[in-house]
Structure formats: structure tokens, C-alpha cells
Amino acid sequence: MGDGTGSPADGEGTDSPSAPPGPVGASAVGSGPKRRRRRRLRLAGVAGVVVLAGAAAAGWAVYAKLEGNITADEAAAAELARYDKERPTALVHGAQNVLLIGSDSRAGEGNARYGRDSGTERSDTTILLHLAAGRDSATAVSLPRDLMVAVPGCRRPDGSRTTPGLAMFNHAFEVGGSACTVRTVEKLTGVRVDHYAVVDFAGFKEMVDAVDGVRVCLREPVDDKAAKLRLPAGRVTLDGEQALGYVRARKSLGDGSDTDRMERQQRFLGALVGKVSGNGVLLNPVKLYPVLDAATSSLTTDPGLASLRSLYNLVRGLRDIPTEQVRFLTVPREAYPGNPNRDRLVQPDAERLFARLRTDAPVSVSAAHPSGTPRPPAPTFSGNTAAQDVCG
């Protein structure tokens, strides 16, 4: 009414939807900055979501690429399932045995330079890797390709079947691939093979290059035209191409025997394990990706191992094993009667080793067999560990 009793003048101080409570003019001054802050926060939130989505998409793309690198050997899985009843039983829960097969196939990109592809491939290097149930040790046993063994009847790629018989170990892979090799190893050792992986020449080279080379020690210079290898004496860091020549050479390194070559391969693998473990690779995504890409690009495995998750679970159990508990050795063997270029198992030493692998018992290695002393409770086999200096 305008009588001074506090009734507002027309429109002055009234509450309306367009005028929030508060002193006249205050809301008009403060609303702009608040709106702008809220707008900036919304934009920042949207940007964050976009960044996270982009990172997730990139992460998924990397995951999909690495997973797509791996080839699952479905045919071998079907063949092994056919003979499942005759295969050994795993005795220790949690322990795992992985058969690693180095293929000498010349097929595929980058492999033709190592010789003519005759349409077949043989296992150039085969290692039975035993991982202890507690993942506190790992034992890698090399199986000579010239070892005379009983090879079972196996399915050829064309569907026909071979006749069981005595033959060189690498004959199993040549005629029947991974499945025949797994069955041959299981018959030879009594050890259940849980997984297997085949790596060709290109994959090996890329793995070495991914860790920026591996250091070895040479007592004298090497000049081997067949292996495409020319190196000085002393400590030398080998790239992938040189490393492949080094582990495969026969004529210019050592005594030219397969035995010497396997020992060289074991020392090299020990140095490679040490390089990966001591270079922060497993905990550094930037360094880990090229290693994973190289490791999976030329990899063929059983279906149970043909995924990044499965490979990760396998490697996760290895990363905490001390290098001195990663052991390399060759199955006890001697010259085959009547043919010094072939091998046979030395018994009972070989069976002692296989029994320890089957039961997850510790395996000890040393540079030479102990002599002049009683046999220790845990048999000691000739070999080395990943902790040993390559020049030691």
C-alpha cells in the first residue's frame, strides 16, 4: 500500500522465477562466472570421457592385434584328443610342462633366406620347460634332434598315418607336426605336456631385437659364411640376425657337434632371460609391447594357450622366479651304438631326471658332473642357470 509498513513497491524485491533470492543486483553479477565454471567443468568431464574412451579403444586395438598374432593349432588338438587315454596323467596340481619347439621351416615372411623350403619342416630345437607348482623354479630340458626314440604312428598333413618305429627325434615333427612331437615326448619321458608352442626363425630374431640385443662371450673370432656370421672375440651384443646364426652354427663354433650347439643355445637363452628380467621389460609397457608383439607374431600354440590372457597367466608365474632358479640342461645322452652322429638316452640318469619332473622335485645343475663324491640326495645334472655370467 505504500504506507512504509514494509510492503514492497511495484516489482521491487519480489520473488519471481527469473530473480533468485538475495540482494538486488547480486545475482545478476554472480550468475555469469558460476555458469562459466559449470560449463568448463562439463567440458572437462566430456574431454576426460573422450580421452578415456580413446585410450580404451587404443588399448583394445593393441590387445586385438597381439591376440590376432597367435595361431591356434586346432588340428593338433584334435589329434591329441584322439589319443588322450594313452597320455600320461599329471601328478602334481599346479605344476606345468610346456613344450617349446623351434621350427626350421623356411615358409613364411623372412624365413626363405635360411634355405630352400622342401615342403616339410623339422624341429630344429625342442625344450621341455617345467614350471614348479609354487612358481619358485623353472627347468628347461633340451631334447637333441638326433636322439633315437620310439616315434608312435602319427597323422600326416595329408591325412595318412605313419608306422610306429625307431627314428631320430626331429622325425616326429617332420611327419606329424606338434601332435606327433608331443606324443613322442610323453612316451619318452612319462611327463604330461600341458601346453606347447612353436616358434619359427623370424619370431626368434624379432624377440632378440625387441630387447635391443643379447650379450654373449666369444673366446675367439667367428667367421662362418654358412651361418652368415662374422664376429670379434670377447663380449659381443648380438642382434636378432646374428643371434639366429649364433645358436644354429655348427662349423665355426665349438666342436661342430649338436651337443655343443645345444649348450650354446642354453647359455644364450639364459642370457636372454637375464636381459628381460634385469631390464625392467615386464613392468614397462613401452618396452613390453614390442617384446609381446615379437613373441606372438610367429607363434603357433595349442588352443588353450592361444590367447593373451593365457600367455599372461603363464608369464606372470615366471616373472618372480630368481634367475639362479631358472635352470638349463640337456637330457643325459650318449653316442648311439654304430652311429656316432646319433644319440641315445643314458640310463638310469635320464629316468631320474624325468621322475623329478613328473613329481615336481627339485633339479640341480652344475657346469660339470660331480666326481669322486657320493651321489647327493637330489641328483645333479650338467647344465647352467640364467644367473650365470655368459663369460664366466
Side-chain angles (χ1 to χ4, degrees):
M1 295 176 55
D3 58 1
T5 59
S7 296
D10 290 346
E12 188 178 355
T14 58
D15 271 339
S16 70
S18 61
V24 175
S27 59
V29 174
S31 60
K34 287 183 180 179
R35 287 196 190 97
R36 287 194 291 272
R37 281 197 296 271
R38 286 196 294 269
R39 189 179 299 116
R40 285 197 295 269
L41 288 174
R42 284 196 297 271
L43 290 174
V46 171
V49 170
V50 170
V51 169
L52 289 176
W60 175 252
V62 169
Y63 185 93
K65 180 185 184 302
L66 294 176
E67 182 125 336
N69 286 344
I70 309 167
T71 301
D73 195 344
E74 301 288 352
E79 179 72 358
L80 289 173
R82 176 188 178 100
Y83 293 95
D84 190 62
K85 290 184 178 179
E86 72 177 35
R87 298 180 64 192
T89 301
L91 300 180
V92 180
H93 178 72
Q96 279 198 319
N97 298 293
V98 183
L99 194 64
L100 306 174
I101 304 170
S103 167
D104 69 356
S105 170
R106 270 68 172 179
E109 184 179 355
N111 288 329
R113 75 185 67 177
Y114 303 110
R116 182 176 59 86
D117 185 8
S118 62
T120 63
E121 56 182 326
R122 297 185 182 181
S123 52
D124 188 72
T125 299
T126 304
I127 294 174
L128 180 60
L129 176 64
H130 174 78
L131 307 177
R135 297 299 187 268
D136 53 1
S137 70
T139 303
V141 181
S142 293
L143 299 170
R145 63 182 185 176
D146 295 337
L147 186 68
M148 299 301 292
V149 298
V151 178
C154 296
R155 183 183 184 277
R156 291 189 180 98
D158 63 6
S160 63
R161 292 198 170 269
T162 64
T163 302
L166 189 68
M168 290 193 304
F169 174 70
N170 68 345
H171 179 70
F173 192 74
E174 180 184 8
V175 299
S178 304
C180 193
T181 303
V182 168
R183 292 178 60 213
T184 300
V185 169
E186 291 183 339
K187 285 182 177 292
L188 180 71
T189 66
V191 175
R192 174 81 177 204
V193 174
D194 301 294
H195 296 291
Y196 64 85
V198 182
V199 183
D200 68 19
F201 291 158
F204 175 83
K205 289 191 310 174
E206 291 170 3
M207 183 74 177
V208 174
D209 285 334
V211 296
D212 299 323
V214 174
R215 175 176 285 190
V216 299
C217 187
L218 302 174
R219 290 191 172 88
E220 55 188 29
V222 176
D223 189 359
D224 190 326
K225 293 181 180 178
K228 299 179 177 62
L229 199 63
R230 190 170 185 177
L231 300 168
R235 293 182 182 268
V236 182
T237 298
L238 306 181
D239 62 22
E241 189 75 34
Q242 293 169 326
L244 181 61
Y246 175 76
V247 299
R248 301 194 71 242
R250 284 176 179 257
K251 298 178 181 178
S252 59
L253 289 170
D255 58 12
S257 67
D258 202 41
T259 296
D260 185 85
R261 190 175 74 125
M262 284 186 297
E263 291 175 351
R264 193 183 329 126
Q265 290 170 351
Q266 292 165 6
R267 290 193 297 272
F268 183 87
L269 289 174
L272 176 59
V273 170
K275 180 69 177 288
V276 172
S277 301
N279 206 29
V281 171
L282 295 179
L283 300 177
N284 186 332
V286 175
K287 294 182 178 180
L288 182 59
Y289 173 76
V291 174
L292 288 176
D293 191 35
T296 56
S297 291
S298 300
L299 196 64
T300 299
T301 75
D302 62 280
L305 200 59
S307 70
L308 280 184
R309 180 181 295 276
S310 297
L311 287 173
Y312 172 76
N313 288 336
L314 184 68
V315 173
R316 182 177 60 181
L318 291 172
R319 67 185 182 189
D320 294 328
I321 299 178
T323 52
E324 61 270 17
Q325 296 300 322
V326 180
R327 307 178 183 94
F328 298 89
L329 67 150
T330 302
V331 63
R333 81 280 182 214
E334 62 187 3
Y336 188 75
N339 190 341
N341 295 318
R342 304 288 181 265
D343 290 331
R344 70 174 180 181
L345 294 180
V346 172
Q347 298 295 6
D349 290 355
E351 177 52 32
R352 287 195 182 101
L353 172 61
F354 300 151
R356 302 193 79 78
L357 297 179
R358 288 193 296 266
T359 59
D360 200 31
V363 175
S364 298
V365 297
S366 66
H369 287 294
S371 59
T373 57
R375 183 179 294 275
T380 300
F381 301 91
S382 179
N384 64 286
T385 73
Q388 289 178 257
D389 187 342
V390 292
C391 284

